[in-house]
Amino acid sequence: MRTWPGSPYPLGATYDGTGTNFALFSEVAEHVELCLFDESGTETRVRLEEVDGFVHHGFLPGIGPGQRYGYRVHGPWDPEQGLRCNPQKLLIDPYAKAVQGQPDWDPSLFAYEMGSPEEPNDDDSAGHVPFSLVVDPYFDWADDRLPRHPYHETIVYEAHVRGLTMTHPDVPEELRGTYAALAHPAIVEHLTGLGVTAIELLPVHQFVTDHYLVEKDLTNYWGYNTIGFFAPHDAYASHPGRQVQEFKGMVRELHAAGIEVILDVVYNHTAEGNHLGPTLSMRGIDNQAYYRLVEDDPQHYMDYTGTGNSLNVRHPSPLQLIMDSLRYWVTEMHVDGFRFDLAATLAREFYDVDKLATFFELVQQDPVVSQVKLIAEPWDVGPGGYQVGNFPPLWTEWNGLYRDTVRDFWRGEPATLGEFASRISGSSDLYQDTGRRPYASINFVTAHDGFTLDDLVSYEQKHNDANGEDGRDGADDNRSWNCGVEGPTDDPEVLDLRRRQRRNFLATLLLSQGVPMVLHGDELGRSQGGNNNVYCQDNETSWIDWDLDEHEHALLGFTSALAAFRTAHPVFRRRRFFQGKPVRKADELRDIAWFTPAGEEMTDENWDDDFGRAVAVFLNGRAIDERDERGERVVDDSFLLAFNAHHEDITFTVPDGEYASTWALVVDTASGTVAEPGDELVAGGATLDVTARSLVVLQRVES
């Protein structure tokens, strides 16, 4: 087979129309063999003779899209020193733009040999490891453009490719569970009707199902087990080998509907696991470079992720891998942003978390990556790993404190009132001092990891028996409340309370300052039967049931109306923090004011009150202190929100005429209504009965 010298850059397999350039980094390799496989599985090995800067490379004329390949790396084998080259093992290209198949978990993948490996033979690991694929980079993007919604106008919808689409009756069966299903008009119409501006997809990088799950006849449903940082997961394609084209088609259709695509990415670890895990890719290519090893015991891995290994972000090659991957997904796949799983791990240059770590410096100066949405899951499982509020200015964060505080408030926990007020007004205590804005806070009540919204109000204990771990998996502290009965019930009072609580959470989320994130199916009352860790449940437990009853239809309508209400009123999505005072000399009223149910302004004693289950807040729509894209001052209506998390009705006194002469009821979670200004109330001592555990919103009526 003819081989030309080729180029050390770009890394990976790059097709140019006449052939393919192959390039692989390995500092420890003595030599590298490129392995090509035909349709029958016959392997042809080509030694890459050229080496520049530890990159082994060569160009093969006539090799094009669809070609299956892998690598065999010849080099030192000394696991006790962290050296694990073994040419018996076929390896996935870390830069592969497509991968085919899953490991069959042959025992040879797990061999932990302390001596020298045997010489390669015909009975080695080919066929046990997925193949890398050469891809065609051409795609007709037509007039595709990134929507680029500003953060303050963003509503995020966290979703799973399969979970969202597997049972939708209007999606053809052959498309369900695929990228093509996400692009189907029925799904797009649901998202646009819900007011969604960005869909945040659980991992779609190529991942593998762990062997211990396969042995239990389970699967890695969530996908947090990456083995290919450039490759769309092949099982989400409706046609084999078409995953790249179908993913691009999905992005194009979602963009046409004004919906951004954000990827949940896992750059903190890989599917190769701990020292007993399988050799699939980077471990056999250059273990010392790609992984964080224990310094005084390099046969073991530093594990800040709870998965067995951590990527070595102190080394330039893994950093290059991450940055090249991010740029590829933006420039070639047209995605709009990333949510970084366990992002604190990427800040661990040494032992402690360092927010000025090299990775974040690279992102800051990168002209491509710095311009898309960057969302951190701001924690990992290592010491000091909880870093909410500590990420650099470009970044937004999943606000776990918002989640916990809002859950505590609505389940009636005492002494959370001050914290609750801070969270719904933008969490300035976390973000203001670092120069960030309220939209640095990605607010959420539920996410893929934990209870759904319906389960949050229906279960106090996790019910994870189906996971096969005797209930040891999943969080124990769910901050949930079952409204008096654990699990399913026919009690009409309990069911009514649960429905009201769901509306309370959704209304609080969509009317808080910051960026709201809704978990897929929460708008439909989706339940997982109390399972708070469905990472291995690719079945009806985790999929949305689109067969809706009248209450679920009503919840969808309520959520859609709330999202539209938020979109219509900029006072609920401010770009600057409240000042607690008039923002201009001509203003008489502060931009925000807090009241007791008696209509009196909150004092320090009120904030410290152990009762802490009811409060009202005035939002001044004429004191937003912002200008629109035309330079005109942003103004809005003013609103009064009355929160009652108490188990009894509470009578609120509406603030006096200084704030408004007349108010109109526009949102009521007790009745489930979101309406145009309706029933009017005369201010100046007028009272309003707020139903137990409910929220009402009053709109100022201009005289």
Side-chain angles (χ1 to χ4, degrees):
M1 180 173 289
R2 288 189 303 159
T3 305
W4 298 350
S7 171
Y9 187 85
L11 291 164
T14 306
Y15 174 67
D16 69 357
T18 63
T20 301
N21 189 81
F22 295 88
L24 178 76
F25 164 83
S26 177
E27 191 170 348
V28 300
E30 296 165 1
H31 69 270
V32 171
E33 289 180 307
L34 169 66
C35 307
L36 305 176
F37 297 87
D38 63 19
E39 292 183 1
S40 68
T42 300
E43 178 179 357
T44 300
R45 300 182 185 180
V46 179
R47 180 163 173 165
L48 299 180
E49 301 285 359
E50 299 293 325
V51 184
D52 292 287
F54 304 115
V55 176
H56 304 251
H57 58 91
F59 183 90
L60 275 65
I63 298 298
Q67 174 64 57
R68 299 186 298 173
Y69 74 98
Y71 290 108
R72 298 187 187 277
V73 175
H74 297 255
W77 171 264
D78 187 355
E80 291 185 334
Q81 298 303 314
L83 300 167
R84 293 174 176 268
C85 296
N86 183 350
Q88 282 188 291
K89 300 182 184 298
L90 183 71
L91 303 173
I92 300 168
D93 181 0
Y95 277 75
K97 302 197 174 54
V99 175
Q100 181 185 76
Q102 287 280 309
D104 68 4
W105 298 127
D106 184 273
S108 67
L109 294 177
F110 297 91
Y112 183 60
E113 305 141 299
M114 296 305 293
S116 298
E118 298 177 2
E119 289 299 316
N121 54 58
D122 294 334
D123 189 26
D124 54 27
S125 64
H128 303 315
V129 174
F131 293 113
S132 306
L133 297 179
V134 178
V135 304
D136 186 347
Y138 175 75
F139 180 77
D140 183 7
W141 283 103
D143 57 353
D144 180 70
R145 297 179 63 186
L146 274 61
R148 296 195 181 279
H149 296 296
Y151 268 119
H152 71 286
E153 295 178 0
T154 296
I155 297 177
V156 178
Y157 189 78
E158 190 194 27
H160 188 284
V161 173
R162 286 177 62 79
L164 178 60
T165 65
M166 278 300 292
T167 71
H168 199 293
D170 296 331
V171 175
E173 288 190 23
E174 65 272 17
L175 297 184
R176 294 176 187 174
T178 70
Y179 305 121
L182 275 179
H184 191 275
I187 300 298
V188 174
E189 288 171 11
H190 177 75
L191 297 175
T192 54
L194 196 57
V196 168
T197 68
I199 186 168
E200 182 179 303
L201 296 177
L202 267 69
V204 297
H205 287 175
Q206 186 75 26
F207 61 87
V208 302
T209 292
D210 320 71
H211 71 284
Y212 75 89
L213 288 177
V214 173
E215 291 173 350
K216 294 193 292 185
D217 199 28
L218 296 171
T219 188
N220 190 319
Y221 170 66
W222 282 347
Y224 291 94
N225 208 29
T226 305
I227 200 60
F229 293 130
F230 292 77
H233 190 57
D234 65 330
Y236 295 160
S238 62
H239 295 86
R242 293 279 300 171
Q243 57 265 42
V244 175
Q245 299 295 312
E246 287 192 16
F247 183 92
K248 290 179 177 179
M250 174 198 73
V251 172
R252 184 181 58 194
E253 294 304 312
L254 289 170
H255 281 179
I259 299 172
E260 295 179 303
V261 178
I262 298 172
L263 302 187
D264 191 337
V265 290
V266 189
Y267 292 113
N268 52 71
H269 74 281
T270 76
E272 293 185 292
N274 64 18
H275 64 288
L276 298 176
T279 297
L280 301 172
S281 181
M282 289 179 266
R283 169 175 289 162
I285 294 170
D286 195 332
N287 190 54
Q288 291 179 326
Y290 280 110
Y291 292 113
R292 188 79 177 269
L293 307 180
V294 178
E295 292 186 6
D296 57 355
D297 186 16
Q299 68 177 312
H300 293 98
Y301 297 84
M302 296 296 292
D303 182 11
Y304 297 118
T305 64
T307 61
N309 66 51
S310 300
L311 216 62
N312 185 13
V313 292
R314 299 183 297 178
H315 192 284
S317 291
L319 279 173
Q320 180 185 357
L321 173 73
I322 296 172
M323 296 305 299
D324 286 349
S325 169
L326 292 170
R327 279 190 293 269
Y328 174 79
W329 285 97
V330 175
T331 59
E332 297 297 322
M333 309 296 269
H334 288 207
V335 305
D336 304 271
F338 307 94
R339 178 265 189 189
F340 292 79
D341 176 66
L342 301 180
T345 300
L346 299 173
R348 290 185 182 274
E349 286 203 342
F350 296 98
Y351 181 77
D352 295 327
V353 175
D354 178 7
K355 70 178 179 180
L356 299 179
T358 303
F359 169 71
F360 296 98
E361 294 174 349
L362 289 174
V363 169
Q364 180 79 24
Q365 58 80 40
D366 190 280
V368 173
V369 180
S370 64
Q371 299 307 301
V372 300
K373 288 183 168 65
L374 302 170
I375 305 171
E377 181 186 34
W379 50 77
D380 64 16
V381 300
Y386 195 76
Q387 293 291 315
V388 174
N390 290 333
F391 278 72
L394 273 183
W395 292 70
T396 61
E397 302 174 13
W398 271 25
N399 190 344
L401 294 180
Y402 178 96
R403 171 200 60 201
D404 295 346
T405 301
V406 171
R407 287 186 179 194
D408 278 350
F409 178 78
W410 283 115
R411 69 186 178 127
E413 285 294 296
T416 63
L417 202 52
E419 180 89 357
F420 177 74
S422 178
R423 298 298 150 242
I424 66 172
S425 60
S427 295
S428 60
D429 57 323
L430 298 178
Y431 304 113
Q432 189 169 26
D433 290 344
T434 56
R436 290 194 277 176
R437 300 290 182 86
Y439 50 72
S441 177
I442 305 296
N443 299 330
F444 66 105
V445 174
T446 56
H448 68 274
D449 188 0
F451 282 146
T452 66
L453 182 60
D454 188 69
D455 289 353
L456 186 68
V457 301
S458 303
Y459 295 90
E460 293 189 11
Q461 306 296 326
K462 62 186 180 184
H463 297 265
N464 297 1
D465 292 344
N467 295 353
E469 299 182 40
D470 297 324
R472 294 187 300 271
D473 66 301
D476 293 316
D477 180 18
N478 295 288
R479 299 175 187 251
S480 60
W481 179 49
N482 62 20
C483 297
V485 177
E486 186 74 359
T489 181
D490 294 326
D491 188 320
E493 292 186 3
V494 173
L495 291 174
D496 180 68
L497 177 55
R498 288 178 178 176
R499 292 171 189 136
R500 189 159 72 249
Q501 286 285 77
R502 292 188 308 194
R503 294 191 293 266
N504 288 335
F505 281 119
L506 287 167
T508 303
L509 176 65
L510 288 166
L511 300 180
S512 292
Q513 305 297 323
V515 179
M517 184 183 80
V518 178
L519 172 63
H520 79 189
D522 276 357
E523 76 280 12
L524 307 172
R526 181 175 73 93
S527 173
Q528 295 173 169
N531 190 324
N532 73 350
N533 189 34
V534 296
Y535 79 103
C536 59
Q537 299 294 327
D538 188 5
N539 50 48
E540 290 81 359
T541 299
S542 57
W543 302 340
I544 288 180
D545 180 0
W546 289 94
D547 184 14
L548 309 182
D549 64 22
E550 61 175 313
H551 298 291
E552 292 159 348
H553 275 293
L555 183 62
L556 173 59
F558 177 78
T559 309
S560 299
L562 267 175
F565 182 74
R566 174 189 177 87
T567 300
H569 293 290
V571 74
F572 295 108
R573 44 184 177 83
R574 293 167 52 103
R575 287 179 288 176
R576 290 178 171 81
F577 288 106
F578 292 106
Q579 300 178 32
K581 60 183 180 181
V583 299
R584 297 179 307 151
K585 291 183 179 180
D587 293 334
E588 297 180 358
L589 297 177
R590 288 166 290 173
D591 54 2
I592 188 171
W594 300 89
F595 298 92
T596 68
E600 300 171 349
E601 292 202 28
M602 293 284 288
T603 65
D604 290 342
E605 291 76 15
N606 296 137
W607 289 119
D608 293 334
D609 188 349
D610 288 340
F611 174 71
R613 296 178 185 174
V615 69
V617 58
F618 169 78
L619 304 181
N620 188 349
R622 297 195 172 278
I624 298 178
D625 193 27
E626 298 169 7
R627 296 189 180 275
D628 61 21
E629 61 275 5
R630 295 170 295 182
E632 298 180 1
R633 195 165 71 90
V634 175
V635 295
D636 191 13
D637 299 317
S638 298
F639 295 89
L640 183 74
L641 286 69
F643 297 86
N644 177 17
H646 191 41
H647 64 271
E648 295 179 345
D649 296 356
I650 291 180
T651 299
F652 280 74
T653 299
V654 178
D656 61 29
E658 179 185 7
Y659 291 92
S661 59
T662 309
W663 297 93
L665 181 67
V666 289
V667 177
D668 184 358
T669 63
S671 62
T673 57
V674 181
E676 295 296 321
D679 297 334
E680 295 185 352
L681 299 168
V682 177
T687 60
L688 176 69
D689 291 332
V690 179
T691 304
R693 296 192 174 94
S694 72
L695 159 65
V696 300
V697 180
L698 303 179
Q699 181 173 340
R700 176 175 176 164
V701 178
E702 300 296 337
S703 56

